[in-house]
Amino acid sequence: MLSNSTRRWFAGLGVAGAFVAASATPAAAADAPFEIVTHDLLVAPGYLDYGSFFAHSTDDEAEPTFGRTTVDVDFSAVADFATVEPAWGWSCDVSSTKLHCEADLLDGDEPWFDYVVNGKDTAKPGQQGALKISVTSSGKTATGTAGVTIAEGVDLASDPTVEASGAPGGIANLPGVVRNAGDTTVDGAVLVVQADWLASFDGDFSNCRRQEDGFFAFCAFDTKIEPGRSYKLSENLPIKLRPETRTGAKFPVYLDWWTTDDFDQAFEDWQDEVKPGKGAELRLVEQSVKTARVPQTDLDQMNNFTVGTVRVTGNNPADLAAEGATATGKKGDVVTVAPSFTNLGPATLEYLGQGTPGIRLEDLPVRVTVPAGTTVTEAPYDCVPFQPSKEWDPWTANWGEPGAKEYACQVTESPKGMKNPYEFRLRVDTVTPDAAGVFVTRLGGDPNSKNNAAAIVVNPVGNGNPGTPGDGGQGGGDGGTLPITGSSAGLIAGIGALLLAAGFGGYVVARRRKTRFVA
């Protein structure tokens, strides 16, 4: 059971990780050149929760050099109602009330410490205490505290997926539902909405606070959510689609339900970043009068997370025009090619790739076939070896792995006129005139299939150097138009067959995010 903001850090869900990391509390660094950043925990009797803290260098100009680092946690103040254990990544000595842990950190790394808090079966909601934390490096020590409160366990739940649609420049109305999957009445809830700048929250409800750009919004409800009952929003959430959104695009909008206490703890420092609306109240059905209450924490926050999909209708496509590349080299040379595509518009091409809910390898919109007689020694991180029959996890896939014969590649957000190159380093194993590969774009709704493929050629014939390999220099990445003669004519004819075989599919949409944590 991961019932607090740490689950969001580890799950990589974006909204909570970003907000909680920023709302964590830095402690005084004393004489140390670093400070400890902590956050408080709510834990239910008989359940466990994960906490974490890290030490951050106070010198933003210098690279961190922690080296041998020790962490001490004194949890005697919570020992009557909870136990504390180290989670992973450190060598620790554990007593009944203290942890002493050590690790050697590489230059550039900062210490991140994970721990587990177990609420005792005999614990009572409302009991609380604080962990005393110290981090020591190079003889310098910084200290901090992290509060632990025993809370009543409840279980909010929501539908795993919902859908809506709208035209570019219009509104998509996204529904939202929450229910009580536990046995205890939930005293109020907060809905956290995470949208996209191309598909943003546009509500003006009096009980919702939102960022100006509509990327985040928090809607608070004082409704008593009774066990076994389901509650629907009184109005669907308005999601504004920018005029440049692409017909056929699918934008994720994340709806995450929190208990009031979990939310207040995780987002306490963010209230000034969002502004309340001025319109009518967004409500949940079945409201009741408030009564005295104890703190509550959600026992399973993985079932109260909804992925909404907003589909763009209308007639606003994106035309992706492929551009090939050429290079010349002798046997053993390593040459560079950078085939590319340009978005000719009129719509903006949204992010398509890693991090997209339900993304399949064959859904990636760029496909690269490597020229015969060459080996990829360096591939762009945006590309992954194409093996459609293999089970594929985009988060653990071998992005940028050299040596494959074919690659599938994700794309970045691209407004009209933006060019997207993919740079490959190729070793020439066999010198063959017009050694040919193909660069193909595969985007659902692309209005012009004639410009979706271009040739990648190593040692091209012609252009003042007929049939003769060059001097080992690297050819330009912007190959332009190739002479359609000889073996090149066969290559271009083959591109049409490749396009037909590849097909054109729709794509689920999400931003690729990279996050690095150091234990």
Side-chain angles (χ1 to χ4, degrees):
M1 190 285 299
L2 305 182
S3 63
N4 72 3
S5 56
T6 306
R7 162 60 78 179
R8 305 307 202 276
W9 280 332
F10 287 96
L13 297 179
V15 52
F19 276 95
V20 173
S23 64
T25 304
D31 62 340
F34 52 87
E35 62 184 3
I36 301 175
V37 180
T38 67
H39 65 99
D40 298 335
L41 294 176
L42 293 175
V43 61
Y47 285 81
L48 63 83
D49 207 349
Y50 284 84
S52 60
F53 57 85
F54 63 93
H56 175 65
S57 175
T58 54
D59 185 353
D60 293 334
E61 301 299 324
E63 182 180 70
T65 54
F66 279 86
R68 187 67 172 178
T69 302
T70 63
V71 166
D72 290 280
V73 179
D74 181 344
F75 56 94
S76 56
V78 306
D80 287 344
F81 55 84
T83 62
V84 180
E85 302 172 2
W88 50 70
W90 293 70
S91 176
C92 296
D93 294 324
V94 183
S95 72
S96 59
T97 58
K98 294 182 179 180
L99 305 179
H100 176 78
C101 305
E102 300 182 356
D104 290 309
L105 304 183
L106 299 176
D107 287 350
D109 288 349
E110 296 183 324
W112 180 290
F113 188 84
D114 301 291
Y115 59 94
V116 180
V117 175
N118 295 272
K120 293 183 178 180
D121 292 336
T122 56
K124 304 297 181 183
Q127 289 182 287
Q128 58 184 334
L131 309 180
K132 296 179 180 179
I133 298 165
S134 63
V135 176
T136 301
S137 173
S138 300
K140 302 290 186 179
T141 300
T143 61
T145 60
V148 176
T149 300
I150 297 298
E152 184 177 49
V154 297
D155 189 8
L156 292 174
S158 63
D159 295 339
T161 60
V162 293
E163 294 188 0
S165 62
I171 296 290
N173 293 298
L174 194 67
V177 173
V178 64
R179 61 184 179 274
N180 187 341
D183 300 323
T184 303
T185 298
V186 180
D187 293 311
V190 179
L191 173 61
V192 177
V193 181
Q194 179 190 9
D196 188 280
W197 82 278
L198 288 170
S200 58
F201 177 77
D202 196 46
D204 191 34
F205 305 107
S206 60
N207 58 321
C208 295
R209 301 171 67 88
R210 52 170 282 188
Q211 280 187 321
E212 185 175 354
D213 60 7
F215 194 79
F216 291 103
F218 310 133
C219 298
F221 305 91
D222 61 6
T223 306
K224 282 187 174 294
I225 303 174
E226 302 293 343
R229 302 182 70 172
S230 182
Y231 298 75
K232 184 178 181 179
L233 294 175
S234 58
E235 296 183 42
N236 291 337
L237 301 173
I239 306 300
K240 176 70 174 180
L241 298 171
R242 292 180 66 92
E244 62 267 36
T245 54
R246 181 182 65 87
T247 296
K250 302 175 188 178
F251 291 95
V253 177
Y254 301 105
L255 311 180
D256 201 5
W257 293 91
W258 296 65
T259 71
T260 300
D261 298 295
D262 283 334
F263 175 84
D264 287 345
Q265 185 181 82
F267 294 84
E268 62 181 347
D269 294 338
W270 281 87
Q271 300 310 304
D272 293 337
E273 302 296 325
V274 287
K275 304 301 180 185
K278 300 178 181 179
E281 180 183 10
L282 182 66
R283 297 176 293 104
L284 294 174
V285 297
E286 306 291 342
Q287 297 189 38
S288 302
V289 179
K290 292 183 178 180
T291 59
R293 55 185 296 271
V294 297
Q296 293 182 324
T297 186
D298 199 324
L299 299 177
D300 182 3
Q301 285 194 352
M302 296 311 291
N303 66 354
N304 53 349
F305 189 79
T306 298
V307 179
T309 298
V310 175
R311 303 172 185 270
V312 182
T313 60
N315 182 23
N316 193 40
D319 178 11
L320 306 189
E323 185 173 359
T326 64
T328 302
K330 302 186 299 294
K331 182 176 180 179
D333 285 348
V334 175
V335 299
T336 300
V337 293
S340 64
F341 74 85
T342 299
N343 178 15
L344 302 182
T348 291
L349 173 65
E350 69 281 4
Y351 282 88
L352 299 172
Q354 183 183 6
T356 302
I359 189 72
R360 302 175 303 164
L361 181 59
E362 53 267 33
D363 291 336
L364 295 179
V366 169
R367 192 73 53 77
V368 178
T369 302
V370 178
T374 67
T375 299
V376 175
T377 60
E378 294 182 30
Y381 179 80
D382 287 328
C383 299
V384 65
F386 182 63
Q387 297 175 293
S389 61
K390 185 178 179 181
E391 186 175 347
W392 186 68
D393 179 355
W395 292 106
T396 60
N398 297 323
W399 296 99
E401 181 179 89
K405 295 300 182 183
E406 188 173 5
Y407 288 85
C409 306
Q410 55 195 354
V411 301
T412 59
E413 187 175 288
S414 307
K416 179 181 178 181
M418 181 173 172
K419 182 175 181 177
N420 294 265
Y422 294 82
E423 185 174 291
F424 289 82
R425 297 269 287 166
L426 308 176
R427 185 182 66 239
V428 179
D429 299 321
T430 303
V431 176
T432 304
D434 282 344
V438 184
F439 179 86
V440 181
T441 63
R442 307 164 60 251
L443 181 67
D446 189 319
N448 183 10
S449 61
K450 295 181 180 180
N451 63 1
N452 293 154
I456 305 169
V457 180
V458 175
N459 289 321
V461 175
N463 295 324
N465 193 21
T468 303
D471 60 0
Q474 298 175 0
D478 301 326
T481 302
L482 298 172
I484 307 178
T485 59
S487 58
S488 292
L491 167 66
I492 299 301
I495 290 176
L498 178 60
L499 279 172
L500 181 62
F504 294 90
Y507 302 96
V508 182
V509 180
R511 244 177 242 279
R512 174 166 56 90
R513 297 179 174 87
K514 303 176 186 176
T515 308
R516 177 171 179 254
F517 299 111
V518 178

